[in-house]
Amino acid sequence: MKNYIDLIDGYKDQMLEDLKKAIAIKSVAGEAEGDSPFGKGVQAAFDNMLELGEREGFATKNVDNYGGHIEFKGEGDGIFALIGHLDVVPEGSGWEHDPYGGEIIGDKMFGRGTIDDKGPTMAAFYAMKALKDSGFKPRKDIRLILGLDEETDWKGMNYYMEHEETPDSGFAPDADFPVIHCEKGLIVFDVVKRLNNTNKSGLRLISFEGGNAPNMVADRAKIVITGGDISDKIEEYKKNSKHDIVCEKVGDTLEITAKGISAHGAMPEEGLNAITILFEAIKDIEFNNSEVNTFVKFYNDTIGFDYHGERFGCGFEDEPSGKLNFNVGKFKLNESEARLTINIRYPATMQEDDIYNGMDTIVGPMGYSIERLDHLAPLYVPKDHALVKVLMDVYQEFTGDMKSEPLVIGGATYARTVPNSVAFGPVFPGEAAVEHQADEYISISGMVKATKIFAEAIYRLTK
């Protein structure tokens, strides 16, 4: 065998070229288009990655365009999985770099998907390539599974798993080093209030809309009102709060726009929610609809800038995974309905119904309804599990970091879809969390180092 670690340094330029091409494809999952279940952008990203696999001499498989894999055939039975995804969240606003440009400045490549998860998936692919090119003969098949709707509802991965043999174990290169041994449970739901408003006189809130996706901190929001001018009150709030708010008269309406800071929904404290900014800005405004006023008060009294559901009946925590994470991802209000989309990451020792029962004590008495949209059960692998120990050993040998411990995250990775699997890399301790944010980037030196760590881990787990 050649030294597969040394080979990786020689792949750097080609790896970056391949990643830049992948970043150029806007692969935000959407409605089905023809034979593309998640839209043409996701399909193009999928086709591109399968072509890379074929270029390097790997076997590939497309499972009805719902997902697929690139495979390094082994000499025995069993499958070791690397589980990545090619879809991305919407780019949002506030970028200084082209979100689909793959621009390189210094040690950083910028673009949506660079760190979540096209860059790490590419690193896993090149780790496989290094092992293959070295002459390594794995004991079991090594399969890079390509997910296509990780940022939405996982229908593609569920379809793939229903039609393919289940791997024995694996890791998802879609989080942090040293290793993630616990992922909190995830729920997404809407809080809905039907509104009645036949009164067309006075100060009317015509619309209030903000956010891009449930698992993103809303970086934008806009209110449209008519029947009065509250710009002086908004300007006073802006002055006191220092938030970025703009008032603009458009015809006989007043548009109030707030800019926040995007962040991953699992870490809402890393961002600034524009929806919450506007709710706070109008908390003392009296509109002509009492139901709207009640909803504004409800939001400010029970949510506000809380990050752990403290006032929403779900401020839970446990010893393995810490506090619950609470994110308002989207909001839409018109004169007939208010709909609030919330994303929660709950402690690993709790059940889905525990969370809903807690929230019902707050929402139920208001007469609002909760519509459940999505749920992922927690993942918990003990720190002394053989897989965790191997991955920790490899990480420590390559970094010399003997202090960092296995981690708990609020994020949900595809590690949950494969037995005996965890998330592993690529973000190193101390590096900024930039996934789902404007000017998302990957460290180039970090990507190369992660590729080496992935290769060594795969080798040890499949030799």
Side-chain angles (χ1 to χ4, degrees):
M1 284 179 56
K2 298 178 183 177
N3 187 315
Y4 48 88
I5 300 300
D6 291 343
L7 289 175
I8 291 169
D9 288 317
Y11 297 154
K12 176 183 171 182
D13 290 345
Q14 185 64 55
M15 182 165 63
L16 292 176
E17 183 178 328
D18 288 340
L19 178 56
K20 183 173 182 178
K21 182 178 179 182
I23 295 303
I25 303 170
K26 183 176 180 177
S27 53
V28 178
E31 297 296 322
E33 299 179 64
D35 60 356
S36 304
F38 310 110
K40 295 297 186 183
V42 171
Q43 187 64 42
F46 183 39
D47 291 341
N48 174 66
M49 200 68 201
L50 291 178
E51 289 171 7
L52 287 183
E54 293 166 2
R55 183 192 75 189
E56 299 300 332
F58 291 109
T60 64
K61 187 169 185 180
N62 179 340
V63 182
D64 302 327
N65 288 336
Y66 280 87
H69 61 250
I70 297 169
E71 190 169 73
F72 182 6
K73 296 295 291 184
E75 298 184 321
D77 296 327
I79 301 169
F80 183 82
L82 310 168
I83 318 118
H85 69 90
L86 302 175
D87 61 310
V88 298
V89 296
E91 63 271 22
S93 59
W95 287 73
E96 294 184 5
H97 306 276
D98 181 352
Y100 302 106
E103 181 182 1
I104 294 175
I105 299 179
D107 189 46
K108 297 176 180 178
M109 176 185 283
F110 292 89
R112 180 58 87 221
T114 47
I115 198 68
D116 185 20
D117 185 44
K118 292 177 179 178
T121 299
M122 193 68 71
F125 172 73
Y126 270 88
M128 287 174 57
K129 171 178 165 58
L131 288 165
K132 177 177 174 292
D133 290 353
S134 75
F136 174 56
K137 303 296 183 184
R139 172 174 47 88
K140 57 176 64 179
D141 296 345
I142 302 168
R143 184 174 288 182
L144 175 57
I145 298 174
L146 305 172
L148 305 181
D149 64 339
E150 194 267 357
E151 300 291 2
T152 51
D153 55 17
W154 294 31
K155 288 181 180 178
M157 183 57 74
N158 292 337
Y159 184 95
Y160 172 88
M161 289 297 177
E162 289 169 2
H163 290 78
E164 288 295 307
E165 183 180 353
T166 302
D168 309 309
S169 62
F171 66 78
D174 189 20
D176 301 321
F177 286 124
V179 64
I180 309 299
H181 80 107
C182 178
E183 297 182 16
K184 296 178 183 179
L186 181 151
I187 58 175
V188 180
F189 59 94
D190 283 350
V191 176
V192 183
K193 172 61 178 175
R194 310 297 175 192
L195 302 174
N196 295 307
N197 188 21
T198 58
N199 182 9
K200 301 299 182 183
S201 62
L203 185 65
R204 293 166 53 199
L205 192 143
I206 298 174
S207 67
F208 183 162
E209 187 169 359
N212 297 292
N215 59 349
M216 296 175 68
V217 174
D219 65 352
R220 61 171 185 84
K222 183 171 75 172
I223 287 174
V224 179
I225 68 167
T226 189
D229 186 357
I230 61 170
S231 56
D232 56 340
K233 294 181 179 179
I234 299 298
E235 288 298 329
E236 182 180 359
Y237 171 78
K238 175 182 177 179
K239 179 180 178 181
N240 293 331
S241 68
K242 310 300 183 183
H243 294 315
D244 188 349
I245 306 175
V246 175
C247 294
E248 182 181 7
K249 290 185 178 180
V250 180
D252 61 353
T253 68
L254 178 68
E255 295 186 357
I256 307 165
T257 303
K259 290 184 179 180
I261 300 172
S262 180
H264 197 295
M267 297 171 287
E269 67 278 5
E270 299 288 334
L272 177 62
N273 200 305
I275 295 169
T276 303
I277 290 173
L278 288 189
F279 265 112
E280 188 175 69
I282 62 172
K283 68 179 180 180
D284 296 322
I285 305 297
E286 287 290 327
F287 296 101
N288 70 345
N289 187 339
S290 62
E291 292 179 338
V292 169
N293 295 328
T294 299
F295 196 92
V296 172
K297 178 175 172 53
F298 163 76
Y299 189 101
N300 285 308
D301 286 351
T302 64
I303 300 175
F305 285 103
D306 293 353
Y307 302 122
H308 306 294
E310 299 95 324
R311 293 178 289 164
F312 208 77
C314 57
F316 303 118
E317 60 182 298
D318 66 9
E319 189 280 326
S321 48
K323 292 183 178 181
L324 174 147
N325 307 102
F326 187 102
N327 180 60
V328 175
K330 298 174 69 176
F331 180 62
K332 187 172 185 178
L333 178 148
N334 53 41
E335 293 189 294
S336 62
E337 179 185 85
R339 182 173 292 269
L340 186 65
T341 303
I342 295 172
N343 178 298
I344 280 177
R345 318 299 171 112
Y346 66 86
T349 60
M350 303 191 73
Q351 303 294 318
E352 176 188 15
D353 285 343
D354 295 332
I355 313 305
Y356 282 112
N357 290 339
M359 294 188 297
D360 193 55
T361 63
I362 302 299
V363 178
M366 297 298 299
Y368 303 164
S369 62
I370 289 180
E371 297 180 4
R372 302 188 187 194
L373 302 178
D374 196 11
H375 173 244
L376 290 173
L379 178 152
Y380 177 69
V381 179
K383 293 182 180 180
D384 61 358
H385 188 282
L387 173 66
V388 174
K389 292 173 73 173
V390 169
L391 297 179
M392 283 295 297
D393 286 346
V394 173
Y395 167 81
Q396 290 172 344
E397 289 176 21
F398 274 77
T399 64
D401 175 11
M402 307 303 290
K403 295 182 180 179
S404 297
E405 293 287 331
L407 301 169
V408 176
I409 61 169
T413 76
Y414 274 150
R416 302 177 194 231
T417 65
V418 173
N420 305 306
S421 295
V422 295
F424 183 52
V427 179
F428 291 91
E431 290 186 330
V434 295
E435 63 272 22
H436 295 203
Q437 296 187 26
D439 291 325
E440 176 185 344
Y441 66 84
I442 191 168
S443 159
I444 294 171
S445 59
M447 183 179 179
V448 172
K449 190 172 186 178
T451 304
K452 294 177 179 180
I453 292 173
F454 293 161
E456 182 63 25
I458 297 165
Y459 172 76
R460 295 191 191 184
L461 292 163
T462 63
K463 65 180 181 179

